[in-house]
Amino acid sequence: MDLLRILWTRSAPYAPYVIAVLVFQALSTAATLYLPSLNAKIIDEGVAQGDVDFIWHTGTIMLAVAFTQVITAIAAVWCGSRTAMGLGRDVRSQVFRHVNSLSTEDMSRFGTPTLITRGTNDVQQVQMVYMMMLNFMVTAPIMSIGGIIMAIREDAGLSWLVWVSVAVLLGTISVLFARLMPLFRSMQDKLDTINGTLREQITSIRVVRAFVREAYETERFTKANKDITQLSLKIGQLLSSCSRLSPSS
């Protein structure tokens, strides 16, 4: 809920771009869904009846629709990326100003590694989630609803297959996201650990050398790095599963 509140309150300056994303995504999805119908017409009315003029005419329309789909998709990604990067810049600036206003007691209570993570990785995660929402999650419901409508229009008797497929996909993606949330929270803890370890090693390099602790510190950093690497790979595998199951794919 905090993430949604941040996105809602910070998106106001970029409202025109958000509206543009919705419009371009709707146009791109509509063009994608319309292309199979044109292809079916070419086969049923052109190839089956040997009407070459109809094939050329419908093929030209398909080319125009495909070109429109590409242009609108590029425009949607551009607007979505600009909005997400702008929001990330604003949030990062506010976090930096707030950290600078903290007292020494607050700095000690939160810890420098945590504050570094909040001002860098956390903000990056917010802008990446926002960009994914604008570029992918907006497309999914449009594609699902549009696919159902097109299926009913083409053959109402077989449209139940699309209903069932969409329901199964949504359920599977929901389960995957439920598994991802704890992993993302664990990722923040491991980022704090590796940032704290690296900072301690940099600031205490003379002490480490004086007491010949290079091997121990190397092993310590390697363990922290290996933990975050394994967790990142697991998150990446789940995210790739979500993208493969997405209706837009």
Side-chain angles (χ1 to χ4, degrees):
M1 295 302 294
D2 291 337
L3 176 60
L4 294 178
R5 179 177 56 82
I6 292 174
L7 297 180
W8 178 261
T9 56
R10 297 296 172 185
S11 297
Y14 307 100
Y17 289 104
V18 175
I19 295 173
V21 168
L22 297 176
V23 173
F24 286 134
Q25 291 285 19
L27 291 174
S28 177
T29 304
T32 303
L33 293 172
Y34 188 48
L35 284 174
S37 297
L38 291 174
N39 189 41
K41 285 185 178 180
I42 289 179
I43 296 174
D44 296 338
E45 302 178 25
V47 177
Q49 300 180 12
D51 192 342
V52 178
D53 292 336
F54 181 84
I55 294 174
W56 278 103
H57 176 72
T58 309
T60 304
I61 296 176
M62 284 187 67
L63 184 62
V65 172
F67 181 76
T68 302
Q69 191 272 333
V70 171
I71 296 300
T72 52
I74 294 173
V77 171
W78 185 86
C79 292
S81 300
R82 183 179 179 87
T83 303
M85 295 302 107
L87 183 138
R89 177 197 59 199
D90 297 342
V91 174
R92 188 178 293 107
S93 176
Q94 184 180 7
V95 171
F96 183 78
R97 290 196 301 268
H98 182 70
V99 170
N100 284 336
S101 67
L102 294 176
S103 63
T104 304
E105 181 181 358
D106 290 333
M107 292 283 289
S108 301
R109 180 163 58 92
F110 290 114
T112 303
T114 299
L115 295 176
I116 293 174
T117 304
R118 299 299 168 264
T120 54
N121 181 77
D122 284 12
V123 176
Q124 184 180 8
Q125 293 295 327
V126 169
Q127 68 184 26
M128 289 301 295
V129 168
Y130 194 35
M131 186 166 62
M132 288 180 63
M133 289 175 60
L134 293 175
N135 293 335
F136 300 107
M137 296 181 69
V138 170
T139 309
I142 299 175
M143 181 70 74
S144 300
I145 296 172
I148 292 172
I149 293 174
M150 293 295 291
I152 293 175
R153 194 184 71 170
E154 295 294 333
D155 192 337
L158 295 176
S159 62
W160 65 272
L161 291 173
V162 180
W163 286 86
V164 173
S165 300
V166 170
V168 171
L169 285 174
L170 291 178
T172 305
I173 292 174
S174 299
V175 171
L176 290 174
F177 270 102
R179 292 184 58 190
L180 279 170
M181 291 302 104
L183 295 179
F184 278 122
R185 285 192 290 268
S186 179
M187 174 68 77
Q188 301 308 108
D189 296 334
K190 294 187 182 301
L191 281 170
D192 289 347
T193 300
I194 197 170
N195 283 336
T197 301
L198 186 60
R199 184 174 180 274
E200 290 172 3
Q201 291 175 348
I202 292 174
T203 56
S204 307
I205 185 64
R206 293 184 178 180
V207 178
V208 171
R209 288 180 176 177
F211 288 91
V212 195
R213 304 280 287 182
E214 290 93 339
Y216 172 78
E217 293 297 333
T218 300
E219 182 181 355
R220 184 180 168 207
F221 180 81
T222 301
K223 182 180 181 303
N225 189 41
K226 185 179 295 183
D227 290 342
I228 198 171
T229 300
Q230 292 175 349
L231 184 59
S232 299
L233 289 174
K234 190 172 183 179
I235 291 174
Q237 290 171 357
L238 289 175
L239 285 175
S240 64
S241 299
C242 291
S243 64
R244 287 196 300 268
L245 291 171
S246 174
S248 59
S249 63

